[in-house]
Amino acid sequence: MARILILFAHPALQKSRVNRVLIDAVREVDGVTVHDLYEAYPTFDIDVAREQALVMGCDVLVFHHPFFWYSVPSLLKEWLDLVLEHGWAYGHKGTALKGKLLLSAVSTGGREAAYQRDGFNQHTMLDLLAPIAQTARLCGMTYLPPFAVHGTLEMSADAINAHGQDFRRVIQALRDDRIDLDAAQSLLRLNADLASVLKQEKR
């Protein structure tokens, strides 16, 4: 059973409709640790040694956050800057993350049609997450297509709950090594076609 660490970064969780449902859907899953960065570090005083120990103890790392200005919330950026040190996460002797999986779980107010190369944002979500994907590669990790929830501003409660259940299915599949990594790499977002990537659910 793979150990999963979810780094949850939402600076205004009390206002969240979607991310609160997503994270609540996986809090009690066996083998999963949910680490709320804004709760742990309200003054941004990150304990680097603690964070590195948490990451060392996982097989799968998940960055879970709303998509802010085509990037991550500021505390997660601070985490990346401080925790992924040269000689630990990358560089000649930096092999602490080698072989781990990395997944981005993100939400956007804009609809998926806006996140196409012929859409409003002129890029797919996978394009826009390229800095995270390249960080994973530099650190010797395997980066998965994102679990992306688009169009949250007008989303119904039923649709939000359905995404929560899909997120739980993905996290459980990652824990149980039931993700077809080759099939996943053909998708722009992991939850575009879960039946094709969750091994026991393949048709």
Side-chain angles (χ1 to χ4, degrees):
M1 184 173 73
R3 300 157 298 173
I4 299 176
L5 174 63
I6 300 178
L7 294 184
F8 183 65
H10 199 307
L13 185 57
Q14 71 279 6
K15 298 179 180 179
S16 171
R17 297 176 64 239
V18 174
N19 285 285
R20 185 168 59 240
V21 170
L22 294 180
I23 202 65
D24 285 348
V26 298
R27 282 188 190 278
E28 304 303 322
V29 174
D30 288 343
V32 173
T33 298
V34 174
H35 184 35
D36 187 332
L37 291 179
Y38 278 91
E39 182 179 83
Y41 302 113
T43 62
F44 282 50
D45 187 18
I46 294 173
D47 184 337
V48 172
R50 176 196 181 196
E51 296 304 304
Q52 290 179 346
L54 282 171
V55 174
M56 285 289 289
C58 79
D59 305 295
V60 180
L61 182 60
V62 180
F63 293 163
H64 181 176
H65 59 91
F67 201 52
F68 279 8
W69 284 107
Y70 310 106
S71 186
V72 301
S74 55
L75 182 53
L76 182 51
K77 180 59 168 66
E78 181 79 351
W79 187 97
L80 289 162
D81 290 346
L82 296 180
V83 175
L84 302 187
E85 293 179 315
H86 181 269
W88 182 80
Y90 68 101
H92 180 63
K93 297 181 179 180
T95 59
L97 304 182
K98 187 175 181 179
K100 298 180 188 292
L101 297 180
L102 178 60
L103 171 70
S104 293
V106 299
S107 63
T108 69
R111 295 180 179 178
E112 187 168 13
Y115 289 87
Q116 305 297 325
R117 290 174 185 165
D118 60 354
F120 179 80
N121 291 306
Q122 300 184 13
H123 294 280
T124 67
M125 178 58 69
L126 195 56
D127 290 338
L128 295 168
L129 286 168
I132 302 298
Q134 184 56 30
T135 296
R137 294 185 190 100
L138 181 65
C139 296
M141 306 176 79
T142 296
Y143 187 69
L144 295 167
F147 183 98
V149 180
H150 295 288
T152 62
L153 296 179
E154 300 175 353
M155 190 172 287
S156 69
D158 286 345
I160 293 171
N161 288 329
H163 283 296
Q165 291 308 305
D166 282 346
F167 189 45
R168 183 183 178 92
R169 289 166 63 201
V170 166
I171 293 299
Q172 289 174 326
L174 285 167
R175 177 197 64 189
D176 298 337
D177 191 26
R178 291 189 291 105
I179 295 286
D180 186 329
L181 297 179
D182 291 334
Q185 294 302 332
S186 68
L187 301 175
L188 291 178
R189 60 180 177 90
L190 194 61
N191 50 324
D193 185 6
L194 288 182
S196 73
V197 297
L198 301 188
K199 289 180 181 178
Q200 73 174 21
E201 297 183 12
K202 277 189 154 183
R203 297 184 183 92

